[in-house]
């Protein structure tokens, strides 16, 4: 009986901690997430690539600027051809969502 209580407690912890720090966009796993989701694009990808990210720790602190404008400006892109989002999280402890733009 004591073992069953430990299993039940571990299950509750897993459920409540799984969404503490998630990417917030697209599918996410409670143990590990690494995804790329396309948001906009055309046949001409572009030679320049810009990246901007936001991060979250334990779902308590979130920082960053993940806008398309920041990603484009960082790479000197004035004409955005594609926009993708990359999500990464581990155990609900740390997550990152990045905006990736390609263009000229």
């Amino acid at each position: 009986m004591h073992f069953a209580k430990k299993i039940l407690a571990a299950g509750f912890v897993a459920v409540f901690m799984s969404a503490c720090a998630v990417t917030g966009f697209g599918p996410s796993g409670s143990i590990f997430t690494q995804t790329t989701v396309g948001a906009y694009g055309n046949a001409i990808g572009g030679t320049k690539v810009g990246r901007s990210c936001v991060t979250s720790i334990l779902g308590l602190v979130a920082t960053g600027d993940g806008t398309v404008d920041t990603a484009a400006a960082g790479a000197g892109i004035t004409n955005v051809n594609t926009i993708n989002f990359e999500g990464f999280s581990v155990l609900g402890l740390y997550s990152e969502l990045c905006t990736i733009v390609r263009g000229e």
Side-chain angles (χ1 to χ4, degrees):
M1 186 70 165
H2 187 64
F3 182 71
K5 287 181 182 179
K6 286 183 180 181
I7 295 295
L8 186 59
F12 279 116
V13 169
V15 168
F16 289 112
M17 291 298 292
S18 67
C20 288
V22 295
T23 61
F25 189 85
S28 62
S30 59
I31 296 174
F32 179 77
T33 301
Q34 187 169 11
T35 59
T36 300
V37 178
Y40 170 79
N42 58 40
I44 304 167
T47 58
K48 297 179 183 178
V49 179
R51 178 182 188 95
S52 61
C53 301
V54 294
T55 59
S56 174
I57 300 172
L58 294 175
L60 299 173
V61 177
T63 62
D65 179 352
T67 61
V68 171
D69 290 341
T70 299
I77 297 172
T78 56
N79 185 21
V80 174
N81 294 326
T82 64
I83 303 170
N84 293 310
F85 297 104
E86 290 181 354
F88 174 81
S89 70
V90 177
L91 296 174
L93 301 174
Y94 174 83
S95 70
E96 180 178 72
L97 179 65
C98 295
T99 303
I100 313 299
V101 299
R102 292 183 184 274
E104 299 300 328

